[in-house]
Amino acid sequence: MIKAILTDIEGTTSSIQFVHQVLFPYAAKNLPEFVRQHRGDDAVEAALNEVANQAKLDIDNTEQLIQQLLEWIAEDKKVTALKALQGLIWDHGYRNGDYQAHIYPDALDALIEWHKQGIALYVYSSGSIHAQKLFFGFNEGGDLQYLFKDYFDTTTGPKREATSYRLIQKAINLAAENILFLSDIREEVDAAVEVGMHTAWVQRDTAAPVSDPQHQCVGSFADIQLPN
């Protein structure tokens, strides 16, 4: 019986285009001045220290750090420090009303229905937990934060590694067979299956979902069946 549902965001609950055509360009445009203005802030300094260590750069060379971050944005790198800084920048954009996060209507309907049924809902995304909360707090569907019990990001571990799902399962404190994981990425649902979770491989951009014996394969949340 499914007692918890863990969902990805980009390409699963929400459009990839919103992330790549709205959020990423906004962060790239605003990141240089944001970093310059907020050097000394604890959260910014922690992220920049991580950037300097990972890229082997001088922590005092602000412009070099900014250039590295912009390169990672262009390459869509899943770097935790970058995701943290993007979340801080997006915070301003959301609160300023520059945009609202997209959600597929079928995902919104299903999440609300599952919540009503008493199923615990969780998020696991490569975006920072702060960015995830903003995403669902400033959403086309309204403030949806009430739907979710907790959030996980890459500080737990890479999304394509089984160890990350084992850590999440322990944090949720349910048997793996009581958890359903939803994602549009084949390697992610493969990793979740390794630890015994049920999975739904969400394939929104295909005429018909590719079948796979390991996963429930669906074109939208409306097609998802909760395993008994």
Side-chain angles (χ1 to χ4, degrees):
M1 180 181 179
I2 297 301
K3 298 179 180 179
I5 294 174
L6 176 69
T7 185
D8 172 52
I9 297 178
E10 181 182 334
T12 304
T13 65
S14 311
S15 169
I16 292 173
Q17 283 70 33
F18 171 73
V19 176
H20 286 268
Q21 295 177 12
V22 178
L23 291 183
F24 283 177
Y26 187 92
K29 178 182 178 180
N30 290 279
L31 183 142
E33 193 58 30
F34 178 86
V35 170
R36 294 181 192 118
Q37 288 186 358
H38 293 275
R39 286 232 59 169
D41 292 1
D42 289 346
V44 172
E45 285 303 309
L48 292 178
N49 270 293
E50 192 174 335
V51 173
N53 289 334
Q54 187 166 341
K56 296 179 171 54
L57 299 174
D58 180 0
I59 185 59
D60 295 319
N61 191 329
T62 301
E63 297 307 310
Q64 196 172 47
L65 295 171
I66 288 171
Q67 186 57 42
Q68 180 63 74
L69 288 160
L70 292 175
E71 289 177 12
W72 283 340
I73 290 175
E75 296 165 1
D76 192 19
K77 292 287 189 181
K78 310 300 184 184
V79 178
T80 300
L82 169 61
K83 297 299 181 182
L85 286 169
Q86 285 175 319
L88 295 172
I89 295 165
W90 292 331
D91 188 312
H92 173 76
Y94 281 116
R95 296 182 191 281
N96 196 46
D98 294 341
Y99 42 73
Q100 286 183 310
H102 170 265
I103 189 165
Y104 288 110
D106 59 86
L108 178 60
D109 291 345
L111 290 167
I112 290 172
E113 179 58 31
W114 292 332
H115 181 264
K116 287 179 180 176
Q117 293 176 16
I119 298 171
L121 302 179
Y122 298 85
V123 179
Y124 183 28
S125 173
S126 58
S128 68
I129 289 173
H130 180 59
Q132 294 172 32
K133 290 179 177 179
L134 290 168
F135 194 98
F136 288 109
F138 296 88
N139 196 280
E140 292 173 352
D143 185 348
L144 304 177
Q145 293 182 85
Y146 76 95
L147 293 172
F148 300 101
K149 193 167 183 180
D150 208 349
Y151 304 79
F152 301 92
D153 62 12
T154 53
T155 59
T156 296
K159 294 188 69 186
R160 302 186 183 199
E161 293 185 8
T163 304
S164 303
Y165 296 88
R166 178 64 68 197
L167 291 171
I168 290 173
Q169 179 250 317
K170 289 180 179 177
I172 292 175
N173 196 28
L174 287 173
E177 59 265 28
N178 295 136
I179 303 170
L180 172 65
F181 174 58
L182 319 176
S183 177
D184 66 317
I185 303 297
R186 168 69 179 275
E187 292 82 358
E188 294 178 6
V189 290
D190 283 350
V193 158
E194 281 190 49
V195 304
M197 290 183 184
H198 291 281
T199 54
W201 181 11
V202 183
Q203 303 171 42
R204 292 189 176 275
D205 297 326
T206 57
V210 175
S211 62
D212 186 299
Q214 289 193 99
H215 313 294
Q216 185 179 169
C217 299
V218 300
S220 81
F221 276 39
D223 302 324
I224 294 173
Q225 301 294 317
L226 300 185
N228 294 322

